[in-house]
Amino acid sequence: MTERGSFASKIGIILATAGSAVGLGNIWRFPVETGTNGGAAFIIIYLACVLILGIPMMTAEFIIGRRTHTNIATAYKQLAPGEPWFLTGYAGMLCVTLILSYYSVVAGWTLKYAMSSALTEMSAVSDTAAFFNDFASSTWAPMCYSVVFLVITHLIIERGIERGIESFSKVLMPILLVIMIVLVAGALSMPGAKTGVEFLLKPDFGKITGDVVLSALGQAFFSLSLAIGCLSTYASYFKNDVNLGQTAASVVGLDTSVAILSGFIIFPAVFSVAGASPDAGPGLVFITLPNIFNNVFSGMPALGYVFSLLFYVLLVLAALTSTISMHEEVTAFVHERYQVNRLRAASVMTVISIVLSVLCCLSFGPLKDFTPFFGMGFFDFFNYVTAKFIMPISGIILCLFVGWRLKRQVVVEELTNRGSLHIPAWVCSLFIFFLRWMAPIAIGLIFVNELGIWK
Ligand code: PFF
């Protein structure tokens, strides 16, 4: 076996890890959740979730990966030999495989929209709902786009950590941020900008209900790629002088900024067209927005062209940096556990995810009525079981593992880089206390509530 790869620079680490976090969750799911949960009030709860739960839990995941410098299943085995904790590693790999399968379907849609925008097909569409439904329910086209997406992911993964993941993230993430800023500036000059900004900034606390809190927490987990081993895998490539807490705070900060900025792109646009609604649900980005781009820019088609193209390219890039991270988690495991080279290991994951993603694509078309999983098809079931079960349960186990099972000394050594960083002892104690009690109880309550037991 060749020597294990690692990220070469600190900026590379932050950009690659933020790349995992920043994705369709920020630009597609966050505005949908904000729109359907009442705007600013939801954002405040969301911010509380990412700051209070997100930073410590991300740091906990980093500790597991950086301590062991190995894949997620082996990491648990090394830290707790002969004990069943490693099963969480397997659950995490199952979870990312299922997420990657349905995520690459939506990623495929973004690729289709970017292509259609580039070829000016998008600006000629008059009924955007029919356009989307015809496309998503067809047999071959969505499948081809998601397979292309997975193959691009594969090609990056195959190049390894520094030459693949790190170097692509260092190019893609800055481009993504620049596109966002251009789009925010454009959106703020639209006629409905003021109403859109008010929707984002003026909270109506009456709108905060139990459901809103649950949605905010679920969104925080998904958006930060938390609890399923992806971040531990990246951290296994961190060098020993990386400040884990600070890195987690930077990644959470970047991820949250991108989510909020995408709100500042989408809602000013939504309020610029009479009749468009912020709570349009999942169709917001694929049905409502293209319609808005065509209407708002009807007198200036060139501007509409640029806006639409940039927006969908932004989604493609964001999705790509996330699919890479999901793919890497399983590739690293196959590579190290079965001692095969990276190319072979990556191919295994690519083939599995292509097969599953084809099934997810078909559940919008020919397999629409095939709903064997409690009335759900493949796409909805994969989404449901990962978000409602595997992520929260793995989250609780992660906290319990780092809080209770790891020795305090190990946690402190990782937080302080074996004493070379000056982090006061009370901060370390608070961190451990939080993981032992507060985080598992909070997630546990939310999980039980999500199952509908109290409803
Ligand atoms: N955080 C990604 C997003 O917001 O789109 C999605 C994701 C990536 C979830 C990696 C889980 C994961 F392991």
Side-chain angles (χ1 to χ4, degrees):
M1 290 283 280
T2 48
E3 205 198 313
R4 207 164 187 275
S6 67
F7 290 117
S9 63
K10 288 192 181 154
I11 186 73
I13 286 177
I14 291 178
L15 292 179
T17 315
S20 168
V22 170
L24 297 173
N26 304 60
I27 307 168
W28 175 55
R29 206 168 179 272
F30 178 80
V32 169
E33 293 284 324
T34 306
T36 48
N37 287 302
F42 172 84
I43 296 184
I44 293 179
I45 305 288
Y46 176 78
L47 288 178
C49 289
V50 288
L51 292 177
I52 300 171
L53 281 171
I55 297 177
M57 286 183 65
M58 190 177 281
T59 310
E61 269 210 79
F62 286 167
I63 288 178
I64 295 179
R66 212 269 302 268
R67 181 78 183 179
T68 53
H69 292 291
T70 183
N71 65 80
I72 184 67
T74 313
Y76 276 106
K77 281 188 181 160
Q78 278 185 14
L79 292 169
E83 296 170 28
W85 295 97
F86 69 92
L87 294 173
T88 327
Y90 286 101
M93 285 189 281
L94 173 69
C95 190
V96 284
T97 309
L98 298 182
I99 295 182
L100 180 59
S101 307
Y102 78 78
Y103 197 92
S104 57
V105 175
V106 184
W109 298 345
T110 66
L111 199 56
K112 157 76 182 168
Y113 272 59
M115 298 276 283
S116 297
S117 300
L119 301 172
T120 65
E121 186 193 358
M122 220 51 237
S123 49
V125 174
S126 56
D127 183 346
T128 52
F131 177 82
F132 174 72
N133 292 331
D134 287 350
F135 166 69
S137 63
S138 60
T139 307
W140 294 105
M143 225 190 258
C144 294
Y145 280 103
S146 56
V147 170
V148 167
F149 212 94
L150 287 168
V151 170
I152 298 174
T153 306
H154 172 97
L155 294 174
I156 297 175
I157 286 292
E158 196 200 294
R159 294 169 62 93
I161 309 309
E162 194 183 331
R163 284 181 54 241
I165 301 175
E166 182 171 358
S167 57
F168 276 85
S169 305
K170 272 161 98 175
V171 175
L172 298 182
M173 289 303 286
I175 299 180
L176 183 143
L177 292 173
V178 170
I179 295 181
M180 287 217 87
I181 290 165
V182 172
L183 288 176
V184 170
L188 289 179
S189 60
M190 287 183 179
K194 195 163 165 277
T195 325
V197 170
E198 273 175 13
F199 181 74
L200 284 167
L201 295 185
K202 272 205 185 147
D204 171 359
F205 289 106
K207 294 214 164 116
I208 299 180
T209 61
D211 269 351
V212 170
V213 178
L214 302 183
S215 307
L217 192 97
Q219 173 61 20
F221 263 57
F222 186 82
S223 186
L224 296 176
S225 318
L226 267 187
I228 50 176
C230 207
L231 300 171
S232 294
T233 305
Y234 269 19
S236 73
Y237 304 119
F238 290 4
K239 297 218 166 96
N240 287 336
D241 62 349
V242 171
N243 182 333
L244 298 184
Q246 209 175 59
T247 306
S250 310
V251 171
V252 169
L254 263 173
D255 185 71
T256 310
S257 311
V258 170
I260 306 248
L261 283 179
S262 63
F264 277 100
I265 297 171
I266 289 173
F267 292 109
V270 167
F271 285 103
S272 295
V273 168
S277 159
D279 57 0
L284 188 64
V285 159
F286 295 105
I287 297 175
T288 314
L289 273 187
N291 197 11
I292 290 168
F293 293 155
N294 290 348
N295 276 301
V296 172
F297 296 111
S298 57
M300 307 162 273
L303 218 55
Y305 175 85
V306 173
F307 209 90
S308 169
L309 179 62
L310 283 181
F311 182 76
Y312 291 106
V313 168
L314 172 75
L315 276 168
V316 170
L317 300 183
L320 186 59
T321 50
S322 297
T323 53
I324 297 173
S325 69
M326 297 184 229
H327 197 298
E328 176 59 27
E329 178 174 342
V330 181
T331 299
F333 169 73
V334 177
H335 174 49
E336 290 167 2
R337 169 75 178 75
Y338 298 102
Q339 306 271 308
V340 292
N341 64 28
R342 262 189 86 81
L343 173 60
R344 283 226 181 131
S347 307
V348 170
M349 180 56 174
T350 304
V351 170
I352 295 174
S353 37
I354 286 180
V355 171
L356 293 175
S357 99
V358 163
L359 293 174
C360 290
C361 279
L362 293 177
S363 60
F364 287 91
L367 293 184
K368 205 181 188 130
D369 298 321
F370 183 70
T371 52
F373 314 106
F374 313 101
M376 287 177 268
F378 285 103
F379 185 100
D380 289 337
F381 180 65
F382 287 0
N383 185 3
Y384 182 81
V385 81
T386 52
K388 305 265 170 174
F389 286 91
I390 310 183
M391 276 187 147
I393 295 177
S394 305
I396 295 175
I397 297 178
L398 165 74
C399 296
L400 297 178
F401 183 74
V402 178
W404 293 97
R405 176 62 187 82
L406 282 191
K407 289 201 180 77
R408 182 190 157 89
Q409 183 204 346
V410 170
V411 174
V412 173
E413 275 177 12
E414 288 305 313
L415 287 177
T416 61
N417 291 349
R418 295 176 194 262
S420 62
L421 297 173
H422 292 292
I423 295 181
W426 68 267
V427 173
C428 299
S429 302
L430 188 66
F431 175 75
I432 294 173
F433 175 79
F434 184 82
L435 292 177
R436 284 186 168 185
W437 298 104
M438 298 188 30
I441 291 174
I443 305 165
L445 288 178
I446 287 159
F447 175 61
V448 172
N449 205 353
E450 285 259 303
L451 295 182
I453 292 172
W454 294 336
K455 285 185 184 162

